[in-house]
Structures are given as structure tokens and as C-alpha cells.
Amino acid sequence: MEYYAGLDVSLKEISICVVDHDGKTIARGTCPADPEGVAGWFRNRLLTPRRIVHESGMLSIWLQRGMMRLGLTATCIDARKAHKALSARLNKSDAADAEGLAQLARTGWFTPIHIRNEDADRLRSLVGARERMIRLRKDLEGHIRSVLKTFGIRMTGIGQGRQRQNFRDQLAAAGETDPVLRAIADGFITAHSTLCQAADDLDKAVKKKAKAHPVARRLMTIPGVGPVNALSFIALVDDPKRFNRATDVGAFLGLTPKRHQSSEVDWSGRVSKCGDGTMRGLLCLTSAPMGPNRTNC
């Protein structure tokens, strides 16, 4: 007898439903939200599902890797597309969603999601941490500029030398004019220095990783492509063999036009903008013509 299972995952527990090849419910229950808990639940009931389905979400990558290591035939599916099928049910609950996912596993009416390997996720985490640290630094500088303008103090341009020391010097000078601004300056100078150091350390780590990666070095021979672009593209594509044609990568990144065809109507619209928006932005910036107001990625 073949069995199919659906997992509705939350942060604390997982609702499980198992059906047979005719769609009849065989077992229901809950288990802790971890791969060992799922494996133990099936082991205690002597069930070996042919296919286990769960939706993409916050824990889906970790769960998928863990269940595969434990020998479970798990598949992560697109939550947006699964929602269209699950929303047709009258009652919404974790148990009902688990049953709906089990039926999708039985029929095969789902779109599987590619789970990147851990090395690719490490690259994405490194590049993302660098971007976040730079954003935090910019937010802090923008806040200080707006506060000081209230008192008629306009900060001049900031260079990159000595980790933007010019900004902290101007903030310290502004603090000498008012006790309240002095208190603000004392806290923000320390925070800004820490953010600059952290951003610089992460930037060096990204460049070091790109230099050590053979594919990244090859990509960086393309004009306009730097370490961030190269590592981001490598991490996103992960396994090139999952694309049948090179042109499929453009569609994966949302750079191909949408099409609407019905009877006599047939038109192509703007790019679909599916997939990773950050990578799409990096590619568009890289391909833009260089000018006095543009910088290399």
C-alpha cells in the first residue's frame, strides 16, 4: 500500500496527515517542529510514505535538509501555488491544510521548490550581512543629518577615508554647541564607528571569498561585475544543471516579459519580476551604461 503525507508547519509543531492511494485518511497527528520529530512520528506508526509534501516557509529549508538526511522522501512545494488549492476548502485549520497537502502529494499537483545547498546559503548570508550593515550605517547617518538640520547644522560630504571618520568629526563638533547634542553625539559616534568597522570587515570577507572561488573569479572578468554580483549570482543559481537552457535563467530571475493570450488577444507586457529582486537589481545596475552619476557594482 502506498501512502502520501502532508505537513503543515508552524514554529512550534507540525500537523501531519497521511492518506492512501485512494485519498482515504490513514493517520493524523502533530509532532515537534524538527526533522527528528517528523521521522519519529512516522516510525512510531510504522508508516513509510512514498512522498511527503510541505510548503515553503521560514523553516522549510532546514526541515527539508534534515528530513532528506534521515531518509524521508520529502518535497518542498511552492506555498503561493499550493494556497490556490488549499483555499478551495471550506474550513481553514492546520489539520485541514495538512490533509490538503497530503492530497496534493497523492495527485502530484504541485510545483517543487529547489533547495539550495548549504554552501550557497552561506554565500547569500555573507553578502546579505554586508548589505544590511551598510544599510544600517546609511540609516544612522541619514537620521543624524536630519536631526542636525533642525538646529541649522548642515553636514558636508563624507569620504570613505579612515572608515568615514569625517562624519564622526563633524558630529563631535556639533555636539560641542549644545548639551543635548553632546549626549546624542556620544552614543552615535560609538555606534557609527562600530558599524563602519563591521561593514569593512564583511566587505573584506566578501572580496576574499570571491578571490578564492574559481567561478566568481571568472565572472568578475566581465566588465561591471564585482565580488557582490558574482557571489550573489553563484549562490542564487546554485546548481546550473537544474536549468535546461541558458535562457531559462532570465525567466527565473524575472527578466522576461509576461504574456497574456486569449482568443484574438495576444500581448507581451513588462518583465515578470519573479524571483530574487536583489539579484535582478544588481544585474540591471551592472548592465546600465556608465556615466558621471553611476558607479560600478
Side-chain angles (χ1 to χ4, degrees):
M1 179 70 71
E2 293 182 343
Y3 300 108
Y4 303 87
L7 311 181
D8 186 70
V9 181
S10 65
L11 291 177
K12 293 184 178 180
E13 65 178 18
I14 299 175
S15 294
I16 305 177
C17 180
V18 182
V19 300
D20 60 18
H21 68 282
D22 293 323
K24 181 180 178 181
T25 301
I26 300 301
R28 293 178 183 271
T30 60
C31 71
D34 59 72
E36 291 77 11
V38 175
W41 191 92
F42 287 118
R43 187 168 52 249
N44 293 338
R45 291 159 180 77
L46 302 178
L47 293 173
T48 307
R50 179 182 177 185
R51 185 183 296 126
I52 303 172
V53 159
H54 62 105
E55 296 177 278
S56 56
M58 292 183 290
L59 299 178
S60 58
I61 296 176
W62 171 65
L63 282 174
Q64 177 70 18
R65 290 172 179 162
M67 288 189 288
M68 293 297 290
R69 281 194 292 265
L70 294 172
L72 298 176
T73 56
T75 302
C76 183
I77 68 174
D78 192 332
R80 294 173 299 176
K81 296 182 179 180
H83 173 73
K84 297 181 182 296
L86 298 178
S87 61
R89 304 175 68 89
L90 294 178
N91 297 319
K92 174 73 171 70
S93 66
D94 292 344
D97 286 347
E99 181 181 353
L101 291 171
Q103 297 295 349
L104 290 177
R106 179 179 67 88
T107 59
W109 294 345
F110 57 81
T111 302
I113 295 294
H114 173 74
I115 300 297
R116 290 182 296 270
N117 62 49
E118 293 186 11
D119 289 337
D121 276 339
R122 289 189 182 96
L123 288 179
R124 285 175 61 87
S125 298
L126 178 61
V127 174
R130 171 190 174 277
E131 188 275 336
R132 176 56 58 182
M133 201 62 66
I134 292 174
R135 188 182 296 273
L136 288 173
R137 186 192 67 195
K138 288 182 178 179
D139 289 344
L140 184 148
E141 291 175 356
H143 174 74
I144 288 297
R145 285 179 180 276
S146 63
V147 168
L148 295 183
K149 285 178 182 178
T150 305
F151 301 94
I153 302 173
R154 289 165 289 183
M155 302 183 77
T156 60
I158 302 169
Q160 297 293 335
R162 298 173 58 195
Q163 295 187 359
R164 305 173 79 82
Q165 181 63 41
N166 187 25
F167 175 84
R168 295 188 288 276
D169 292 341
Q170 292 184 61
L171 180 55
E176 298 298 331
T177 64
D178 186 278
V180 173
L181 294 182
R182 176 74 266 171
I184 295 174
D186 289 341
F188 275 81
I189 286 175
T190 302
H192 185 264
S193 178
T194 302
L195 287 174
C196 287
Q197 183 62 55
D200 186 62
D201 291 342
L202 288 171
D203 187 63
K204 291 179 180 177
V206 168
K207 292 178 180 177
K208 181 179 179 181
K209 190 70 176 178
K211 285 184 178 180
H213 201 294
V215 179
R217 290 201 306 269
R218 185 176 180 182
L219 288 173
M220 286 190 294
T221 61
I222 302 172
V225 175
V228 173
N229 304 64
L231 293 181
S232 298
F233 186 77
I234 292 169
L236 186 64
V237 172
D238 186 21
D239 181 13
K241 295 180 180 178
R242 64 192 179 104
F243 298 101
N244 294 326
R245 301 181 301 272
T247 53
D248 292 341
V249 180
F252 174 71
L253 293 171
L255 294 172
T256 54
K258 295 186 292 185
R259 183 187 180 192
H260 176 81
Q261 190 273 329
S262 178
S263 188
E264 291 82 13
V265 178
D266 190 353
W267 56 265
S268 296
R270 298 180 178 179
V271 295
S272 65
K273 295 186 178 180
C274 296
D276 191 281
T278 301
M279 185 71 251
R280 188 167 55 253
L282 289 173
L283 290 175
C284 291
L285 182 60
T286 300
S287 62
M290 297 296 293
N293 297 323
R294 294 187 179 273
T295 57
N296 235 346
C297 295

